């Protein structure tokens, strides 16, 4: 028996403990060790029942994802987890699975191969394989419906959302919630178990066909373009019409199709990319970090309020400063509204929201700013204004306080030069809505210290963000690439495409929104102001004219599109006339442009600018660009990011 799986005896109960820290993944040797332990205890006449439990902080987090790449590359064959689970299930003695932490993916599949399941109160179970572009591949889509019912199993498999202990018990996924010590409870449960109860022998309760058609429609919206979501529904549906063994074979076929698809490879790239971007070349692991105990945010607008919520959600007290009482009241009201909406949706309890709001100190002065660990500036995107703010906070901040700017485009070094301590200045570019979006671009200035950079990466993690370190240039990585992308979209319109054709082509490609619709959402005046400040007048003739007419996007009710009271976009004859005149002025003869050309040219501009950014060292690696675009700009995860899509590794 390898050290990955440990055996012990508690009187007449054999205990198998998985010992593969930190998350007890099903790495090579773990599944085999489990089944060997089952076989050994089954032969032992002194053992009447068996308990399987995870050592450390969790049960089984799931498969070792690195093994998927080895399978698709031909480096190794499938481990045959489904067959191993079958062997567990066929044990003649009761097998009780004791779940704490999490049992995800292959972990839940192993648990369902046991005869009974008990769970710690704070544990979660789920089948999140769809988030890697695959489906459960070890009979998860066949056993889960036999425990939870078809409707719940369908949703868990296509949406990939885990459930807590109480919900798992209510749906029959587990048999009991442990009272007290999990192992002791599981051993007691094993003593009272009445024989074996094999999940594969259970009947699947029928449901109306609408359950599956409704799930497919829901998945088409919420997991748009993702093949694995639809195939997960197909596999679960098969459990209702096929004998268990045939259903497993069907699941296996669909699993293989997903695993070898480009979509899965792209999503696995993103999965590992999230972890890779946290490793900064030249920034030693032992670099000291500062504790962030309190924070201050300057500006209570959309971005400032969202940034404040991130710190509040992490349990960090926040001083929120504005220049006028009216703006401050408006910002605080919006924060309260956001928390209220989350409570209404069941995301937070009212008690939890009230505790966060109690950490908020709205104010009009710099009172207490000398006591905070970090100050985040989130004022209007204007260099002179930001420099004046930094000159002010330089006078009041503690000597070891991090001074962060939320600028999305401006020169970090120019902002830092307004202070006497540029080594303490860093860019923290949050993405809107800041309390929702997971990306945080951390911008390294010329003088930013390693301690500030290391602390910034730690802050991102504590705020549950994906922090990506980038260099200092206009627009950094994300917005610098978005500029050419947006310009190419307008050029396509000048050459003959309609705005909705451009947006639809990119939306169908998998983008969250098309580039012109994004402009309307963010506000066309933002880019208009930047172009004027950068001396780029005339580079966007249509958008410039839209802005000159007061058509700034959704906030004014019109931009590239006209918006109704529900903010639904509609083509506008006024825009058509602007486009017609711009085509004449630019000497463009309109032509029909296929959606493939739209996608190739727009995505191609992202890649081309990304290559320049890599050459200049603004981005550390291609994967950093991919994560920025997937996390911050709605690039489809199943395509892996623009650089991955172009083969830039």
């Amino acid at each position: 028996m390898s050290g990955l799986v440990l055996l012990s005896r508690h009187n007449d109960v054999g205990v198998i403990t998985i010992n593969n820290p930190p998350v007890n993944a099903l790495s090579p040797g773990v599944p085999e060790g489990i089944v060997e332990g089952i076989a050994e205890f089954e032969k032992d006449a002194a053992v009447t029942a068996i308990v399987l439990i995870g050592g450390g902080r969790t049960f089984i987090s799931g498969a070792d994802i690195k093994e998927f790449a080895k399978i698709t590359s031909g480096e190794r064959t499938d481990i045959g987890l489904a067959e191993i689970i079958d062997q567990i299930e066929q044990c003649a003695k009761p097998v009780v699975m004791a779940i704490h932490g999490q049992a995800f993916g292959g972990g839940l599949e192993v648990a369902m191969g046991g005869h009974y399941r008990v769970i710690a109160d704070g544990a979660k179970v789920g089948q999140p394989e769809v988030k890697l572009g695959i489906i459960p591949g070890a009979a998860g889509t066949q056993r889960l419906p036999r425990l939870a019912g078809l409707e719940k199993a369908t949703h868990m498999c296509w949406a990939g959302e885990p459930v807590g202990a109480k919900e798992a018990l209510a749906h029959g996924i587990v048999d009991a919630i442990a009272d007290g010590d999990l192992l002791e409870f599981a051993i007691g449960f094993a003593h009272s178990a009445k024989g074996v109860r094999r999940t594969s022998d259970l009947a699947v309760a029928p449901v109306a066909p609408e359950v599956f058609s409704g799930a497919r429609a829901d998945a088409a919206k919420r997991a748009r373009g993702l093949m694995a979501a639809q195939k997960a529904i197909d596999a679960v549906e098969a459990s209702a019409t096929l004998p268990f063994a045939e259903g497993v074979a069907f699941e296996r076929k669909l699993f293989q199709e997903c695993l070898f698809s480009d979509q899965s490879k792209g999503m696995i790239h993103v999965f590992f990319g999230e972890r890779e971007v946290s490793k900064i070349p030249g920034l030693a692991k032992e670099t000291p970090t500062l504790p962030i105990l309190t924070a201050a945010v300057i500006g209570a607008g959309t971005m400032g309020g969202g940034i404040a919520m991130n710190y509040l959600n992490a349990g960090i007290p926040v001083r929120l400063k504005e220049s006028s009482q009216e703006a401050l009241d408006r910002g605080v009201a919006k924060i309260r509204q956001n928390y209220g909406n989350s409570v209404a949706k069941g995301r937070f309890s009212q008690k939890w929201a009230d505790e966060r709001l109690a950490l908020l100190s709205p104010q009009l002065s710099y009172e207490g700013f000398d006591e905070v660990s970090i100050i985040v500036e989130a004022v209007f995107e204007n260099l002179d204004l930001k420099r004046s703010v930094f000159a002010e906070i330089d006078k009041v901040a503690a000597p070891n306080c991090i001074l962060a700017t939320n600028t999305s485009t401006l020169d970090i070094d120019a902002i830092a030069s307004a202070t006497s301590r540029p080594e303490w200045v860093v860019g923290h570019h949050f993405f809107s809505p800041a309390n929702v979006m997971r990306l945080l671009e951390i911008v390294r200035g010329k003088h930013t210290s390693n301690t500030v950079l290391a602390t910034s990466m730690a802050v991102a993690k504590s705020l549950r963000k994906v922090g990506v370190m980038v260099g200092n240039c206009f627009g950094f990585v994300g917005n610098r690439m978005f500029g050419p992308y947006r310009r190419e979209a307008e050029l396509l319109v000048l050459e003959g495409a309609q705005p909705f054709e451009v947006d639809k082509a990119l939306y169908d490609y998998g983008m969250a929104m098309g580039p012109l619709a994004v402009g309307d959402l963010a506000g066309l005046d933002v880019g208009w102001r930047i172009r004027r400040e950068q001396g780029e007048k005339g580079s966007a003739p249509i958008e410039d004219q839209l802005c000159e007419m007061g058509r700034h996007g959704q906030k004014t009710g019109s931009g590239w599109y006209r918006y109704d009271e529900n903010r639904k976009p509609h083509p506008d004859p006024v825009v058509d006339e602007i486009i017609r005149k711009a085509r004449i002025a630019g000497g463009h003869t309109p032509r029909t442009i296929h959606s493939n050309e739209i996608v190739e040219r727009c995505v191609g501009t992202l890649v081309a600018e990304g290559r320049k950014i890599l050459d200049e060292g603004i981005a550390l690696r291609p994967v950093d660009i991919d994560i920025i675009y997937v996390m911050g700009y709605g690039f489809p995860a199943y395509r892996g990011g623009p650089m991955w899509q172009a083969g830039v590794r």
Side-chain angles (χ1 to χ4, degrees):
M1 186 67 58
S2 73
L4 294 172
V5 177
L6 308 176
L7 303 186
S8 59
R9 288 167 178 78
H10 292 247
N11 297 320
D12 62 338
V13 175
V15 176
I16 302 172
T17 303
I18 303 164
N19 181 40
N20 187 26
V23 294
N24 289 330
L26 291 167
S27 307
V30 174
E32 295 84 354
I34 293 172
V35 79
E36 287 173 16
I38 294 284
E40 183 170 327
F41 284 138
E42 189 171 18
K43 290 185 296 183
D44 190 338
V47 171
T48 61
I50 303 167
V51 168
L52 177 66
I53 192 168
R57 69 189 194 200
T58 193
F59 179 66
I60 300 173
S61 65
D64 185 340
I65 297 168
K66 293 177 182 176
E67 298 304 307
F68 291 144
K70 293 179 182 177
I71 294 170
T72 55
S73 68
E75 184 177 339
R76 64 166 299 179
T77 57
D78 196 336
I79 62 173
L81 183 60
E83 291 76 11
I84 287 174
I85 294 172
D86 283 343
Q87 293 178 54
I88 296 172
E89 191 176 53
Q90 290 307 310
C91 180
K93 297 176 181 179
V95 178
V96 177
M97 301 290 182
I99 302 168
H100 73 296
Q102 57 192 38
F104 289 166
L108 179 55
E109 289 175 308
V110 168
M112 292 190 294
H115 305 130
Y116 303 95
R117 285 151 295 282
V118 299
I119 190 170
D121 191 26
K124 292 185 177 182
V125 301
Q127 300 278 194
E129 289 90 342
V130 69
K131 298 182 186 300
L132 295 175
I134 56 178
I135 69 170
T141 64
Q142 304 304 298
R143 283 194 175 91
L144 189 57
R146 287 168 163 81
L147 295 172
L150 283 165
E151 186 168 5
K152 187 64 179 177
T154 299
H155 186 265
M156 286 180 66
C157 289
W158 82 252
E161 297 168 0
V163 299
K166 291 181 176 61
E167 190 173 355
L169 178 63
H171 286 280
I173 302 170
V174 299
D175 299 290
I177 297 176
D179 181 14
D181 182 80
L182 176 62
L183 180 57
E184 290 181 9
F185 184 89
I187 290 171
F189 192 96
H191 278 134
S192 64
K194 294 180 172 60
V196 300
R197 183 193 61 191
R198 297 184 174 93
T199 306
S200 61
D201 290 339
L202 301 177
V204 179
V207 294
E210 289 76 14
V211 166
F212 300 109
S213 60
R216 288 189 176 92
D218 202 8
K221 294 178 183 176
R222 293 178 51 194
R224 180 169 53 89
L226 183 57
M227 175 179 70
Q230 297 294 338
K231 289 193 180 293
I233 298 170
D234 293 342
V236 174
E237 186 176 26
S239 72
T241 59
L242 298 176
F244 182 79
E246 292 181 26
V248 172
F250 182 66
E251 175 199 85
R252 195 74 197 155
K253 173 179 173 292
L254 299 182
F255 171 80
Q256 292 286 339
E257 290 175 6
C258 291
L259 180 62
F260 283 85
S261 70
D262 288 339
Q263 288 197 356
S264 176
K265 292 171 185 175
M267 295 183 81
I268 290 174
H269 166 68
V270 171
F271 175 86
F272 285 116
E274 280 192 49
R275 288 138 188 86
E276 183 68 17
V277 297
S278 67
K279 303 169 186 173
I280 311 301
L283 191 65
K285 280 187 177 181
E286 58 271 19
T287 302
T289 59
L290 303 172
I292 302 299
L293 305 177
T294 55
V297 177
I298 302 174
T302 300
M303 289 303 301
I307 293 168
M309 286 183 69
N310 282 302
Y311 284 93
L312 296 174
N313 291 347
I316 298 172
V318 175
R319 293 182 176 275
L320 181 62
K321 181 186 180 302
E322 254 296 354
S323 56
S324 72
Q325 190 65 50
E326 180 184 5
L328 186 62
D329 291 343
R330 187 166 56 246
V332 172
K334 183 62 177 176
I335 291 173
R336 289 185 177 279
Q337 180 185 5
N338 287 339
Y339 277 120
N341 291 340
S342 294
V343 170
K345 293 174 182 176
R347 290 186 58 215
F348 307 137
S349 67
Q350 187 62 56
K351 179 176 179 293
W352 189 93
D354 290 342
E355 289 171 349
R356 267 60 200 166
L357 286 167
L359 298 173
L360 180 66
S361 300
Q363 57 191 70
L364 297 175
S365 71
Y366 284 115
E367 180 185 355
F369 271 53
D370 58 336
E371 300 173 353
V372 301
S373 310
I374 185 170
I375 299 172
V376 185
E377 165 273 309
V379 302
F380 191 70
E381 189 77 348
N382 176 274
L383 182 58
D384 290 338
L385 175 60
K386 289 181 183 289
R387 282 175 52 83
S388 68
V389 169
F390 270 77
E392 291 173 358
I393 60 178
D394 184 41
K395 299 173 184 176
V396 298
N400 60 344
C401 177
I402 293 176
L403 309 182
T405 173
N406 180 55
T407 179
S408 57
T409 58
L410 301 175
D411 186 342
I412 300 297
D413 294 326
I415 294 171
S417 68
T419 75
S420 61
R421 44 174 137 179
E423 68 276 12
W424 288 93
V425 178
V426 66
H428 283 189
H429 178 206
F430 290 82
F431 286 71
S432 186
N435 55 305
V436 175
M437 297 294 284
R438 294 183 61 208
L439 178 65
L440 177 62
E441 266 187 326
I442 296 169
V443 189
R444 184 201 308 245
K446 188 193 312 182
H447 302 288
T448 310
S449 74
N450 282 349
T451 292
V452 170
L453 294 174
T455 303
S456 294
M457 295 299 289
V459 165
K461 188 174 182 180
S462 68
L463 300 184
R464 303 183 72 177
K465 302 289 185 187
V466 178
V468 183
M469 187 81 70
V470 300
N472 182 30
C473 69
F474 179 78
F476 318 128
V477 171
N479 282 341
R480 174 172 161 178
M481 289 172 63
F482 193 82
Y485 172 72
R486 187 213 58 75
R487 284 194 293 273
E488 192 68 24
E490 179 161 335
L491 181 58
L492 284 159
V493 171
L494 286 168
E495 292 179 15
Q498 292 299 314
F500 71 86
E501 291 175 334
V502 173
D503 282 337
K504 184 177 185 303
L506 273 302
Y507 179 82
D508 290 347
Y509 176 75
M511 300 294 288
M513 298 176 72
L516 306 180
V518 168
D520 274 2
L521 177 64
L524 299 180
D525 55 319
V526 176
W528 183 43
R529 183 176 62 252
I530 291 171
R531 287 192 295 277
R532 286 183 297 173
E533 289 180 0
Q534 295 294 315
E536 295 181 6
K537 187 176 181 181
S539 65
I542 299 174
E543 278 199 4
D544 285 350
Q545 189 168 347
L546 291 172
C547 289
E548 288 164 5
M549 296 174 64
R551 300 177 65 104
H552 296 169
Q554 289 191 22
K555 60 188 174 185
T556 59
S558 63
W560 282 98
Y561 303 98
R562 175 178 53 81
Y563 293 88
D564 60 24
E565 62 277 6
N566 298 315
R567 293 204 168 189
K568 183 178 180 181
H570 301 275
D572 193 334
V574 173
V575 177
D576 293 341
E577 181 61 17
I578 293 172
I579 292 170
R580 187 186 69 81
K581 291 180 178 178
R583 286 170 176 167
I584 293 172
H588 297 283
T589 301
R591 63 184 177 87
T592 300
I593 302 178
H594 194 274
S595 59
N596 287 346
E597 181 182 347
I598 294 172
V599 170
E600 288 173 5
R601 286 174 55 178
C602 287
V603 175
T605 60
L606 289 177
V607 174
E609 196 65 27
R611 289 180 188 273
K612 294 178 186 176
I613 285 170
L614 288 170
D615 290 343
E616 295 169 19
I618 300 299
L620 294 171
R621 297 150 295 209
V623 69
D624 294 63
I625 296 175
D626 288 334
I627 294 301
I628 286 171
Y629 259 79
V630 169
M631 298 293 172
Y633 291 84
F635 199 94
Y638 61 77
R639 295 193 186 275
M643 308 315 286
W644 173 268
Q645 191 68 198
V648 181
R649 305 286 192 267

